[in-house]
Amino acid sequence: MEEKNMFCFQCEQTAGCTGCTGNTGVCGKKADTAQLQDELTGALIGLARAVDDTSAVSKKTWQTIIEGLFTTITNVSFDNAAIEDMIQKVRAEKDSLVGDCNKCQSPCGRTDEYDMQQLWNADEDIRSLKSLILFGIRGMAAYAYHAYVLNFEDPEVNQFFCEALFRIGYAESMDELLQTVLKVGEINLKCMALLDKANTQTYGTPEPTDVTLTVEKGPFIVVTGHDLKDLQLLLEQTNGKGINIYTHGEMLPAHAYPLLKKFPHLKGNFGTAWQNQQKEFDHIPAPILYTTNCLMPPKSSYIDRVFTTEVVAFPGTVHIDEQKDFTPVIEKALELGGYKEDQTFTGINGGTQVTTGFGHSAILSHADTVIEAVKSGAIRHFFLVAGCDGAKPGRNYYTEFVKQTPSDSIVLTLACGKFRFNDLNLGEIGGLPRLMDMGQCNDAYGAIQVAIALADAFGCSVNELPLSFVLSWYEQKAVCILLTLLHLGIKNIRLGPSLPAFLSPNILNFLVENYGIAPITTPEEDIKVLLKQ
């Protein structure tokens, strides 16, 4: 492969708020890895065109597209060999669809792979819209994947991946691309609903649950990421072996699902958000299983105890394949032995436990209480403070924002950004905690359902509710969630800690004029403004 610098601006921490262009990205991704991810994306666009031209589409084709897109999300795969294998898998799937077309004496080029340099060098507004589409469907692919492993899929969601990839490769009309951007939000809502159904039908409806941050003595395993199926399989394989299981990051909400709570060795949560793992995992006496994105390049002090599965990969670590035999992880836990005595850890603000499980079913089961509290004035405002965490300075804004919310307001949260403040005790209103963790980032679907239910109860639109959205973003799942909120017409969203580098001035101006999107400023000023809206 020709040696050249990378170009990547898909995450919030991209260099200089413009793009990573050197030999290594801020996330730790090398230039050759970034090039392979571009090559994979170009191959996916070729496969999408092949799907567009044939009706013989199997479940394997959809799985390949979803896995391929998932592989390109930030902090998923740093392993060139794994990405190259995925590229060959995509090409083989395309060949199975087009048959002898590639051997034609007069090739039409309709299924050619796309050169991503065409996108990165395009007119800035076209590039901006296509980037919104691409990064949005990458995030959506993660949600589709988690549903797929639980045997749930939606033909409309699958087909849209091809439609969106086709637009990235071949559409040049601003109007057509803008319509596709908003359609990403529309289809992602269906995808999040699909995953919500998959999770609740498989594991039960989440229940409010207190989760300790203390790690008991003895062997243990830390599970990070988002995939509940992997956690379930690990719990089953470690049952009765004297090994405790602790969640990390976005896996915290697993404690709220009834089926998973039945395992007595699912003990608590270890650490905070993904960007702190190099510090928190330093010399940890236990293995860590990475089930989805949020992998940072491991330090030498613990790389020997890093295990990956699904599309997550890092060179030199042990990968658990589709057979899901976690024996190597179990053996490493027993070898390391864990802590000699119980270890009491705390959250960022000193709390020793956190609470999760306030999904839409749990909150709406108290709908009468909430509605009466709003009518009586006991609840003046709702704030959804949610999204990704990250290491970039300025994210302490979200901690201070939550601390300064009025005592007559409710704070809903989800995703890993909550680790900035989820160990705070904000008290209660009418027997309900002021701070409610709704779950993982995909549980934004639940927050939307709560907002719609409240709007129906008060006979108004969501934008007329005393409800404000204060979001933090880092990677591509945050992009598709933002597009879903725009599809629903939700306005006056505050977004930070910085605005996406892939938004051109014209596209940003469109979002500001039509949706009132604004960057965060200070907690004091933003709370003051939002309470008046």
Side-chain angles (χ1 to χ4, degrees):
M1 178 178 293
E2 179 187 353
E3 290 293 330
K4 56 184 177 180
N5 288 337
M6 69 191 299
F7 176 76
C8 183
F9 61 173
Q10 70 175 2
C11 84
E12 188 271 333
Q13 291 180 179
T14 194
C17 291
T18 57
C20 294
T21 57
N23 294 319
T24 305
V26 174
C27 69
K29 178 173 61 180
K30 302 297 184 182
D32 55 353
T33 305
Q35 292 168 40
L36 284 170
Q37 290 182 344
D38 276 355
E39 186 178 341
L40 173 55
T41 303
L44 285 165
I45 291 173
L47 173 56
R49 186 61 189 263
V51 171
D52 186 60
D53 288 337
T54 180
S55 58
V57 182
S58 67
K59 291 187 67 170
K60 183 182 177 184
T61 300
W62 302 127
Q63 182 181 3
T64 300
I65 292 172
I66 290 169
E67 286 183 0
L69 285 168
F70 193 179
T71 298
T72 59
I73 289 179
T74 303
N75 295 88
V76 168
S77 183
F78 296 81
D79 191 327
N80 288 356
I83 299 173
E84 288 171 343
D85 286 347
M86 192 71 236
I87 292 170
Q88 295 310 314
K89 186 176 180 180
V90 170
R91 288 172 176 164
E93 195 60 30
K94 185 182 77 171
D95 288 345
S96 73
L97 293 176
V98 299
D100 293 331
C101 179
N102 291 333
K103 303 176 183 178
C104 180
Q105 294 294 321
S106 302
C108 62
R110 290 188 302 177
T111 60
D112 285 352
E113 295 183 4
Y114 181 72
D115 181 358
M116 291 294 286
Q117 290 303 310
Q118 295 182 57
L119 172 55
W120 307 141
N121 295 325
D123 167 84
E124 67 174 356
D125 292 336
I126 296 294
R127 183 179 74 167
S128 184
L129 290 173
K130 288 188 175 184
S131 295
L132 275 168
I133 296 167
L134 175 60
F135 303 154
I137 63 172
R138 283 177 174 175
M140 187 167 70
Y143 299 147
Y145 184 89
H146 298 318
Y148 179 84
V149 298
L150 295 176
N151 298 314
F152 285 76
E153 58 181 324
D154 183 331
E156 185 178 6
V157 172
N158 290 343
Q159 188 62 49
F160 180 71
F161 284 122
C162 291
E163 178 185 333
L165 285 165
F166 179 85
R167 296 284 183 270
I168 293 165
Y170 299 97
E172 297 299 331
S173 161
M174 292 280 289
D175 288 342
E176 183 180 18
L177 289 170
L178 183 58
Q179 290 174 10
T180 306
V181 166
L182 295 177
K183 191 170 181 181
V184 172
E186 174 189 355
I187 301 300
N188 183 58
L189 181 61
K190 295 178 184 293
C191 191
M192 289 194 297
L194 177 71
L195 182 53
D196 179 80
K197 181 180 179 181
N199 285 339
T200 54
Q201 290 196 7
T202 304
Y203 300 110
T205 301
E207 305 164 345
T209 304
D210 293 332
V211 182
T212 181
L213 303 183
T214 295
V215 177
E216 297 180 11
K217 65 179 181 180
F220 69 100
I221 298 170
V222 175
V223 186
T224 188
H226 303 72
D227 202 285
L228 300 181
K229 180 67 172 180
D230 286 324
L231 176 61
Q232 175 197 349
L233 294 173
L234 181 66
L235 287 167
E236 290 172 351
Q237 292 181 36
T238 52
N239 201 15
K241 289 185 167 61
I243 300 173
N244 291 328
I245 306 298
Y246 293 86
T247 56
H248 171 266
E250 283 271 55
M251 199 63 85
L252 167 65
H255 290 275
Y257 286 93
L259 187 148
L260 300 176
K261 289 172 67 174
K262 290 181 180 179
F263 290 93
H265 59 301
L266 178 59
K267 291 290 188 175
N269 191 72
F270 178 91
T272 53
W274 67 272
Q275 81 280 356
N276 298 319
Q277 63 190 259
Q278 290 180 329
K279 176 182 178 181
E280 294 173 346
F281 294 164
D282 191 27
H283 293 97
I284 182 176
I288 309 105
L289 175 65
Y290 289 82
T291 66
T292 59
N293 60 313
C294 304
L295 166 67
M296 292 186 72
K299 295 172 64 176
S300 59
S301 64
Y302 65 89
I303 193 170
D304 67 313
R305 56 210 67 181
V306 168
F307 296 82
T308 62
T309 191
E310 307 295 356
V311 296
V312 189
F314 194 89
T317 62
V318 176
H319 187 76
I320 306 299
D321 63 19
E322 61 271 11
Q323 300 303 314
K324 298 298 182 182
D325 181 357
F326 291 113
T327 299
V329 189
I330 294 170
E331 290 177 344
K332 178 62 74 170
L334 294 172
E335 172 195 333
L336 293 170
Y339 294 110
K340 302 300 183 184
E341 301 294 337
D342 292 358
Q343 301 291 312
T344 300
F345 297 98
T346 63
I348 289 177
N349 302 286
T352 57
Q353 75 170 29
V354 293
T355 303
T356 190
F358 287 94
H360 57 96
S361 294
I363 294 176
L364 293 178
S365 69
H366 297 282
D368 291 343
T369 302
V370 173
I371 292 168
E372 182 55 39
V374 173
K375 289 180 177 179
S376 69
I379 296 177
R380 176 168 46 140
H381 207 85
F382 296 88
F383 294 98
L384 178 67
V385 186
C388 312
D389 205 355
K392 195 172 185 178
R395 288 183 179 267
N396 61 327
Y397 163 95
Y398 297 94
T399 308
E400 294 305 314
F401 186 98
V402 170
K403 285 181 177 179
Q404 294 180 37
T405 53
S407 59
D408 55 357
S409 65
I410 293 287
V411 177
L412 305 176
T413 190
L414 49 86
C416 65
K418 62 174 167 274
F419 283 101
R420 293 275 172 174
F421 49 78
N422 68 336
D423 61 325
L424 291 171
N425 184 353
L426 300 184
E428 297 183 346
I429 298 178
L432 297 174
R434 282 193 55 227
L435 176 60
M436 301 187 202
D437 174 19
M438 301 191 71
Q440 296 181 338
C441 55
N442 52 279
D443 290 309
Y445 171 78
I448 290 168
Q449 298 311 301
V450 170
I452 291 173
L454 289 174
D456 288 344
F458 289 107
C460 65
S461 70
V462 171
N463 286 317
E464 293 172 313
L465 286 171
L467 169 65
S468 299
F469 293 78
V470 183
L471 306 181
S472 57
W473 81 283
Y474 175 74
E475 43 89 341
Q476 294 74 67
K477 284 176 284 184
V479 175
C480 65
I481 290 171
L482 176 63
L483 295 181
T484 292
L485 296 177
L486 299 185
H487 157 70
L488 293 170
I490 294 174
K491 297 184 177 181
N492 301 317
I493 296 170
R494 291 294 187 274
L495 186 64
S498 62
L499 295 178
F502 51 82
L503 289 180
S504 67
N506 287 334
I507 300 305
L508 177 59
N509 187 57
F510 172 84
L511 296 177
V512 171
E513 289 186 352
N514 289 274
Y515 297 97
I517 284 183
I520 59 173
T521 59
T522 65
E524 297 84 359
E525 183 61 26
D526 287 346
I527 289 174
K528 179 181 177 181
V529 171
L530 293 172
L531 286 174
K532 292 180 179 179
Q533 290 179 342

